[in-house]
Amino acid sequence: TLNSSHPSSGLASPHAILIIDTIPPVITHTQPVLVNTSEIVDMACHVTDNYAVGNAYIDYYFITTSGPTAPQNLMMTDIGAGDFSGLVPIPSNALTMNYNISANDTSNNWNWTGSIILNVTDNITPNIVDNTAGSPNTGALFTVSASITDNIAVDTAFLYYYFDTTAGPTIPDNQTMNDLGGGNYDYSVSVPVNALFIYYNISVNDTSNNWIETGINALAVQDTLSPAI
């Protein structure tokens, strides 16, 4: 309220002047250091204003192995003292997260962080299903097979194996398995004529270098060779 002198009486009369708030809120946001697949991340921020903060929002979408997700608009939770929390679930096949945090004040002045892009770290290991069937036979080929999937992409599958024979264990070998397509892999090994057991382990990494293995499996070798007379 301002006072001004009346020209005729010399008395002060009050005049009310409406002050319009045109100052937008200030958003402080620190980007998460690490965002992992299939986790829930708090995209927190701190908002201040010269009068009073209204609401804060996060608009986001993901680029995934199957394309972009539908954009989402999330009203953040006011946890007090100017702090806001926004819990965002990260898809298992996400590659990047694209987001923007906005806030308004009680005078409807808006501010934005602008578009931010975060790389999503794949920390999920591949999945292996050992489909090896049948028993190995002496002097024959034996095929180890597996179905392998990953949330992003499989890189390489390996077969580590050795035999226990009547003359002792063979030297372990480690070979790259054949990628048959559709998540199917196999590798055929030559079974020694004096083999008793085969010991093998399937290991896989994905394109983010997450590793997994089945552990050692043991199969008895069937002796199908007739004695020599």
Side-chain angles (χ1 to χ4, degrees):
T1 302
L2 300 180
N3 291 330
S4 62
S5 297
H6 194 280
S8 60
S9 65
L11 298 177
S13 59
H15 292 269
I17 298 177
L18 177 64
I19 305 298
I20 299 175
D21 174 23
T22 60
I23 301 175
V26 176
I27 304 171
T28 303
H29 167 65
T30 301
Q31 299 177 26
V33 175
L34 188 64
V35 175
N36 293 323
T37 49
S38 292
E39 292 186 347
I40 296 177
V41 178
D42 188 358
M43 308 301 289
C45 70
H46 183 76
V47 185
T48 58
D49 189 67
N50 59 314
Y51 277 87
V53 175
N55 296 305
Y57 302 85
I58 179 168
D59 295 278
Y60 66 92
Y61 68 94
F62 295 91
I63 300 298
T64 73
T65 56
S66 56
T69 62
Q72 302 293 320
N73 179 259
L74 173 68
M75 177 182 286
M76 303 177 75
T77 301
D78 185 350
I79 57 178
D83 294 323
F84 289 80
S85 171
L87 300 179
V88 177
I90 311 299
S92 63
N93 63 338
L95 301 173
T96 62
M97 178 181 178
N98 301 257
Y99 70 97
N100 170 57
I101 294 175
S102 60
N104 65 353
D105 61 17
T106 51
S107 299
N108 207 32
N109 297 304
W110 286 83
N111 207 351
W112 299 265
T113 60
S115 180
I116 300 172
I117 299 176
L118 286 180
N119 290 323
V120 177
T121 300
D122 173 24
N123 64 341
I124 300 176
T125 57
N127 182 64
I128 306 172
V129 177
D130 186 354
N131 295 326
T132 303
S135 299
N137 296 323
T138 51
L141 288 176
F142 180 68
T143 301
V144 175
S145 60
S147 298
I148 303 172
T149 56
D150 188 67
N151 59 309
I152 302 294
V154 174
D155 186 9
T156 310
F158 300 90
L159 177 67
Y160 169 88
Y161 69 95
Y162 66 94
F163 293 93
D164 187 16
T165 73
T166 55
T170 61
I171 297 173
D173 197 1
N174 191 47
Q175 295 292 333
T176 301
M177 299 181 72
N178 301 307
D179 184 353
L180 307 177
N184 297 307
Y185 293 76
D186 74 5
Y187 190 82
S188 296
V189 300
S190 296
V191 181
V193 295
N194 62 341
L196 301 172
F197 288 90
I198 181 176
Y199 298 88
Y200 70 92
N201 173 58
I202 300 170
S203 61
V204 181
N205 69 339
D206 62 18
T207 52
S208 299
N209 208 34
N210 297 303
W211 284 85
I212 194 171
E213 59 183 39
T214 59
I216 294 292
N217 295 302
L219 292 176
V221 176
Q222 305 300 313
D223 178 15
T224 58
L225 298 177
S226 301
I229 302 176

